[in-house]
């Protein structure tokens, strides 16, 4: 990716496809990323490896990415089952041009030569990861509320919850028990997962380079040599086209969803005095076209009705709403909210409020529609991205099959938004389907809401 603004600096993203990992083991993947950043390799101790990373690079981090994949030839967006996906483990770093090959070699060593931790170290890191995740849930419960709700509606979001949501906290706590009581069994599972990708092969490896044109030209031949150096023994099976073939984790995940992610109202109990109150449901059925114009009325209610009612009147610190064009679901969630039932009532009244506003001549005018359109375009364009972020965004769009023409079509649909689009959105919101709730907060608030406000929250004790 050629970007200006970082002369002499190269950003490298080395990705390894992990779709061959058994579905039964994918819950361990977040802890495997911890191992890759904390463990020795067969060549260097972790202290020596970190010292080399510090000398020759600006840092190397490990990321786990589940990227939805679209048909790159399709310019319109339709609500789908969302089963097309790439699963990639990335090592991401930056360095000066002269150290590019050294950084790639260090990344290769981490992937191929990392050793399983000792039992004592594994327990220490699991305890740390658990506390870090609890802290993140406490401060960002709105994100975990949405993940929990979204996991009930499509399989890719179910996987996101399993790897990055409250479910991952439960997994880590179970791993900690196993590390203490059945270390040999856990050690074998972790070792097998590290062995799966112990040899980088060209067919399952992808490299993204970001820098200015001169920098990219200067490292290109060296990177080609690095790719040629990868082990090609038996490397005859190419990856499937994931825009046309379901990811291998999808079938078992669908089966699990039936029992583990029913559409029900849940309260996720944590040690907190405030709540993150979320409600969601289906706006578009599978196969229905979703237009960019749907984002304009959403922008209108976010900045108006929801903000006024949830933030200004009910005392929450904030409120958000999002429409997911991959599957046609919509979610509303508050941030540090002292109320439960009042906020849910606001959500339930959103469609009716929008419809009534359309009937008032001075409420939704051409001027207010234009203002909402400008807000949407501003959210798309944002501010200028840093070179690394610009390169990563372009790269993930490529992996996802999000073509420039598709993005332009979405933008033009936003710009063409009319009053009729507000009416359609209001009607859909008044009749949203299979709605459900996920609230992250104190258990006492859930019990009170169940007893006094006729809610039926199934309480999940997180911590």
């Amino acid at each position: 990716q050629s970007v200006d603004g970082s002369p002499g600096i190269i950003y490298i993203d080395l990705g390894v496809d992990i779709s061959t990992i058994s579905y039964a083991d994918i819950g361990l993947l977040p802890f495997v990323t911890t191992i890759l950043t904390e463990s020795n390799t067969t060549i260097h101790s972790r202290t020596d490896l970190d010292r080399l990373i510090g000398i020759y690079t600006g840092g190397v981090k490990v990321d786990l990415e589940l990227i939805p994949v679209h048909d790159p030839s399709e310019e319109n967006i339709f609500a789908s089952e969302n089963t097309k996906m790439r699963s990639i483990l990335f090592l991401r770093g930056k360095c000066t041009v002269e150290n590019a090959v050294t950084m790639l070699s260090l990344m290769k060593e981490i992937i191929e030569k990392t050793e399983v931790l000792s039992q004592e170290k594994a327990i220490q890191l699991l305890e740390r990861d658990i506390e870090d995740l609890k802290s993140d849930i406490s401060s960002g419960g709105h994100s975990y509320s949405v993940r929990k709700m979204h996991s009930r509606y499509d399989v890719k979001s179910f996987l996101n919850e399993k790897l990055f949501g409250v479910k991952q906290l439960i997994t880590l706590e179970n791993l900690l028990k196993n590390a203490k009581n059945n270390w040999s069994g856990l050690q074998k599972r972790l070792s097998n997962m590290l062995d799966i990708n112990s040899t980088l092969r060209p067919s399952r490896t992808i490299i993204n380079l970001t820098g200015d044109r001169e920098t990219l030209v200067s490292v290109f031949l060296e990177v080609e040599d690095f790719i040629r150096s990868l082990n090609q023994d038996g490397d005859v099976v190419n990856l499937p086209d994931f825009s046309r073939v379901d990811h291998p984790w999808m079938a078992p995940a669908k089966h699990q969803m039936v029992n583990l992610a029913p559409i029900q109202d849940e309260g996720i109990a944590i040690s907190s005095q405030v709540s993150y109150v979320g409600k969601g449901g289906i706006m578009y059925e599978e196969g229905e076209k979703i237009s960019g114009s749907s984002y304009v009325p959403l922008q209108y209610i976010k900045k108006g009705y929801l903000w006024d009612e949830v933030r200004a009147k009910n005392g929450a610190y904030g409120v958000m709403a999002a429409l997911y064009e991959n599957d046609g679901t919509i979610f509303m969630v508050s941030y540090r909210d002292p109320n439960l039932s009042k906020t849910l009532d606001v959500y339930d009244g959103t469609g009716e409020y929008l419809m009534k506003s359309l009937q008032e001549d001075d409420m939704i005018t051409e001027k207010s529609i234009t203002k909402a359109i400008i807000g949407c375009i501003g959210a798309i364009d944002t501010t200028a991205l840093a070179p690394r972020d610009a390169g990563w965004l372009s790269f993930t769009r490529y992996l996802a099959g999000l073509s420039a023409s598709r993005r332009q079509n979405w933008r033009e649909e936003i710009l063409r938004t009319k009053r009729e689009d507000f009416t359609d959105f209001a009607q859909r919101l008044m009749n949203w389907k299979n709605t459900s709730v996920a609230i992250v907060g104190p258990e006492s608030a859930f019990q009170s809401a169940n007893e006094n406000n006729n809610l039926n929250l199934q309480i999940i004790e997180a911590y």
Side-chain angles (χ1 to χ4, degrees):
Q1 316 293 330
S2 178
V3 297
D4 296 327
S6 58
I9 301 295
I10 186 77
Y11 300 91
I12 300 179
D13 307 304
L14 174 64
V16 183
D17 183 90
I18 54 173
S19 59
T20 56
I21 287 177
S22 167
Y23 179 77
D25 288 328
I26 66 170
L28 279 68
L29 281 169
F31 186 57
V32 169
T33 67
T34 296
I35 293 174
L36 293 173
T37 59
E38 297 284 351
S39 187
N40 300 330
T41 69
T42 57
I43 301 172
H44 293 103
S45 69
R46 191 71 218 186
T47 300
D48 288 341
L49 185 60
D50 286 342
R51 181 177 57 82
L52 291 171
I53 290 172
I55 291 172
Y56 293 107
T57 82
V60 173
K61 69 173 184 175
V62 182
D63 282 339
L64 175 62
E65 298 286 344
L66 304 182
I67 302 171
V69 179
H70 310 272
D71 181 350
S73 65
E74 180 56 70
E75 291 190 358
N76 293 312
I77 296 176
F78 299 91
S80 73
E81 201 175 11
N82 209 13
T83 56
K84 308 297 187 290
M85 180 186 81
R86 294 292 305 272
S87 55
I88 304 176
L89 186 70
F90 281 104
L91 274 72
R92 305 182 61 202
K94 71 174 182 178
C95 63
T96 55
V97 172
E98 59 270 18
N99 292 322
V101 172
T102 300
M103 184 164 75
L104 281 168
S105 298
L106 290 170
M107 289 176 168
K108 184 173 184 286
E109 179 182 336
I110 291 170
I111 289 291
E112 294 189 337
K113 305 297 183 182
T114 291
E115 297 179 320
V116 177
L117 303 157
S118 67
Q119 181 182 15
E120 180 182 4
K121 185 68 171 177
I123 291 172
Q124 175 189 340
L125 291 176
L126 281 166
E127 289 175 339
R128 186 198 69 183
D129 285 358
I130 288 169
E131 290 307 311
D132 287 348
L133 187 50
K134 286 180 178 179
S135 177
D136 197 48
I137 293 172
S138 294
S139 62
H142 55 296
S143 298
Y144 291 87
S145 167
V146 172
R147 282 197 193 100
K148 187 66 174 174
M149 290 186 289
H150 209 171
S151 71
R152 303 164 186 157
Y153 298 96
D154 83 66
V155 66
K156 193 264 182 182
S157 299
F158 177 78
L159 292 170
N160 270 337
E161 164 66 12
K162 190 180 185 74
L163 296 178
F164 309 115
V166 174
K167 177 62 177 175
Q168 179 59 203
L169 177 61
I170 298 170
T171 298
L172 289 173
E173 289 173 335
N174 288 333
L175 290 180
L176 180 59
K177 292 176 184 176
N178 287 335
K180 292 177 177 179
N181 303 320
N182 183 23
W183 172 241
S184 61
L186 178 58
Q187 184 183 41
K188 183 176 180 180
R189 289 180 71 191
L190 293 171
S191 180
N192 288 341
M193 291 184 74
L194 291 171
D195 286 345
I196 287 174
N197 291 303
S198 60
T199 302
L200 284 180
R201 300 186 184 278
S203 66
R204 294 186 177 273
T205 304
I206 188 165
I207 297 175
N208 178 52
L209 306 175
T210 301
D212 62 28
R213 186 171 298 278
E214 183 178 347
T215 298
L216 293 175
V217 170
S218 64
V219 301
F220 187 77
L221 293 178
E222 291 179 320
V223 173
E224 275 196 328
D225 289 341
F226 172 81
I227 294 170
R228 280 193 288 267
S229 74
L230 299 180
N231 190 320
Q232 302 197 36
D233 292 343
D235 193 24
V236 294
V237 179
N238 291 322
L239 289 172
D241 179 355
F242 284 114
S243 70
R244 301 184 181 279
V245 177
D246 284 359
H247 190 283
W249 298 345
M250 291 298 174
K254 281 183 186 179
H255 181 73
Q256 266 198 336
M257 278 183 69
V258 176
N259 296 319
L260 298 184
I263 296 178
Q264 64 181 13
D265 297 341
E266 293 175 319
I268 301 158
I270 65 171
S271 299
S272 173
Q273 297 302 311
V274 293
S275 299
Y276 304 87
V277 182
K279 184 164 186 175
I282 297 172
M283 283 273 284
Y284 293 84
E285 297 284 2
E286 184 177 344
E288 281 193 289
K289 183 181 182 301
I290 303 175
S291 170
S293 62
S294 61
Y295 269 49
V296 181
L298 180 64
Q299 175 77 6
Y300 179 84
I301 60 172
K302 282 196 299 184
K303 299 302 181 182
Y305 171 77
L306 289 177
W307 181 263
D308 293 341
E309 296 295 324
V310 178
R311 171 69 178 91
K313 293 182 181 179
N314 290 349
Y317 277 33
V319 62
M320 291 139 271
L323 173 65
Y324 289 82
E325 66 267 21
N326 287 331
D327 58 14
T329 53
I330 187 171
F331 301 98
M332 305 177 197
V333 63
S334 61
Y335 180 78
R336 298 184 65 82
D337 194 340
N339 296 290
L340 272 68
S341 297
K342 286 183 179 179
T343 297
L344 292 173
D345 288 342
V346 171
Y347 298 157
D348 289 338
T350 306
E352 185 178 352
Y353 164 82
L354 189 58
M355 187 61 76
K356 285 184 177 179
S357 298
L358 285 162
Q359 295 166 0
E360 298 287 337
D361 292 339
D362 60 343
M363 288 289 289
I364 300 180
T365 62
E366 288 299 320
K367 183 177 180 180
S368 58
I369 292 174
T370 300
K371 183 178 179 181
I373 290 172
I374 292 170
C376 288
I377 296 299
I380 292 174
D381 292 345
T382 66
T383 56
L385 296 174
R388 179 178 197 151
D389 296 331
W392 178 252
L393 178 61
S394 178
F395 178 50
T396 52
R397 282 174 173 171
Y398 161 76
L399 291 175
L402 295 176
S403 64
S405 59
R406 180 187 178 114
R407 301 196 308 274
Q408 182 61 32
N409 186 53
W410 182 262
R411 186 186 186 94
E412 289 174 358
E413 287 175 342
I414 290 174
L415 293 170
R416 291 196 300 266
T417 301
K418 302 296 183 185
R419 191 180 181 85
E420 293 76 14
D421 299 307
F422 275 66
T423 302
D424 177 73
F425 190 88
Q427 289 172 339
R428 289 179 180 276
L429 198 50
M430 290 173 67
N431 296 284
W432 57 343
K433 301 172 184 175
N434 295 343
T435 59
S436 66
V437 169
I439 305 173
V440 178
E443 184 173 356
S444 59
F446 305 153
Q447 293 171 340
S448 176
N450 282 347
E451 292 171 6
N452 301 321
N453 300 104
N454 295 320
L455 295 184
N456 186 29
L457 298 173
Q458 305 299 308
I459 299 175
I460 301 169
E461 293 193 14
Y463 57 89

